[in-house]
């Protein structure tokens, strides 16, 4: 991955179009959260990312420590995913030299970004049927946060998707199919292994730019 100085961030955001972004909703359709019972868990963050030329979007990581905030979920409402087969996501991270990305809950672990889906009407309790409302992409598809461009490709029929209670899709396929039919949120979660959406901050100025988000 190619490192880029922080001074070039604004220029890059304007100059590089987002490939395959025609079907991607605009920045105003995305939510930085999650917002649960009126509380936004992405502290120190705006309600939505800001648009970049070409249809993508970007946000700046809170820095230089957890007191500045942390980003957890960045999602949108895709509607039903019935008949869809995979997610293909491209993004870029620009950061000042020496920047570290730190999970706010588990600061000793590697900071990651992963794909996530949530059935409409989730109570966020993970109790009863709600244990099958939130689904996280297979561990093998998670990416460590680092400067440069990266891609994540995940099949929706991958048996290693897991629910919030670690139920694998391989043994709970019917529950995941119901969620796909009634999908309410999809997007990116920032955290670490064991706490994928539990928040990340940076130790120096850093920016996340979504280049494309395709549901095929």
């Amino acid at each position: 991955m190619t490192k880029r100085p922080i001074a070039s961030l604004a220029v890059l955001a304007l100059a590089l179009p987002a490939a395959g972004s025609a079907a991607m909703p605009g920045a105003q359709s995305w939510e930085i959260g999650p917002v649960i019972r009126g509380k936004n868990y992405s502290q120190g963050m705006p309600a939505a990312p800001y648009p970049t030329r070409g249809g993508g979007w970007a946000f700046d990581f809170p820095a230089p420590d957890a007191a500045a905030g942390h980003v957890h979920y960045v999602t949108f409402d895709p509607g039903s995913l019935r008949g869809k087969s995979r997610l293909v996501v491209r993004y870029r991270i620009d950061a000042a030299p020496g920047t570290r990305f730190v999970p706010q809950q588990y600061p000793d672990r590697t900071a990651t970004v992963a794909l996530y889906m949530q059935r409409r009407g989730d109570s966020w309790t993970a109790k009863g049927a709600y244990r099958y409302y939130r689904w996280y992409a297979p561990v093998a598809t998670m990416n460590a946060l680092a400067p440069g461009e990266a891609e994540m490709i995940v099949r929706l029929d991958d048996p290693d998707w897991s629910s919030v209670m670690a139920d694998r899709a391989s043994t709970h396929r019917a529950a995941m199919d119901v969620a796909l039919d009634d999908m309410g949120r999809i997007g990116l979660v920032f955290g670490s292994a064991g706490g994928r959406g539990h928040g990340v901050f940076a130790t120096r100025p850093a920016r996340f730019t979504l280049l494309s988000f395709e549901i095929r």
Side-chain angles (χ1 to χ4, degrees):
M1 296 183 179
T2 304
K3 292 184 178 180
R4 297 176 174 89
I6 197 69
S8 67
L9 292 179
V11 174
L12 284 166
L14 292 173
L16 184 62
S21 63
M24 184 172 69
Q28 71 281 357
S29 297
W30 292 73
E31 175 186 271
I32 298 178
V35 179
I36 304 173
R37 289 178 279 279
K39 178 182 177 180
N40 193 324
Y41 282 77
S42 282
Q43 299 175 20
M45 295 292 296
Y50 59 85
T52 58
R53 184 174 296 174
W57 54 249
F59 68 78
D60 295 324
F61 286 92
D65 52 35
H70 24 85
V71 58
H72 291 238
Y73 288 49
V74 187
T75 63
F76 70 96
D77 183 347
S80 175
L81 299 185
R82 182 182 304 168
K84 301 299 183 182
S85 63
R86 61 176 171 162
L87 308 176
V88 181
V89 179
R90 291 179 55 247
Y91 64 87
R92 185 182 68 247
I93 294 177
D94 297 287
T99 297
R100 291 186 300 110
F101 297 95
V102 184
Q104 68 96 18
Q105 184 178 21
Y106 301 113
D108 58 324
R109 299 181 184 179
T110 299
T112 62
V113 58
L115 287 162
Y116 155 89
M117 301 184 297
Q118 183 176 20
R119 182 178 169 184
R120 195 175 309 279
D122 189 10
S123 69
W124 292 93
T125 62
K127 295 180 179 179
Y130 292 112
R131 70 184 290 147
Y132 306 117
Y133 273 54
R134 277 173 276 161
W135 292 90
Y136 298 82
V139 171
T141 68
M142 295 169 59
N143 281 350
L145 294 176
E149 291 188 14
E151 184 176 66
M152 292 185 290
I153 302 175
V154 186
R155 292 195 59 83
L156 294 176
D157 63 358
D158 191 311
D160 290 331
W161 281 86
S162 61
S163 76
V164 65
M165 298 303 291
D167 303 293
R168 291 184 62 199
S170 58
T171 53
H172 294 84
R173 188 67 229 181
M176 185 173 175
D177 286 342
V178 170
L180 290 171
D181 284 347
D182 192 25
M183 193 57 56
R185 309 300 300 179
I186 194 170
L188 306 172
V189 290
F190 296 83
S192 65
R196 288 198 234 180
H198 293 187
V200 168
F201 63 89
T203 58
R204 294 187 179 185
R207 179 169 296 169
F208 184 99
T209 301
L210 184 70
L211 303 175
S212 63
F213 194 109
E214 297 180 75
I215 303 173
R216 299 181 180 176

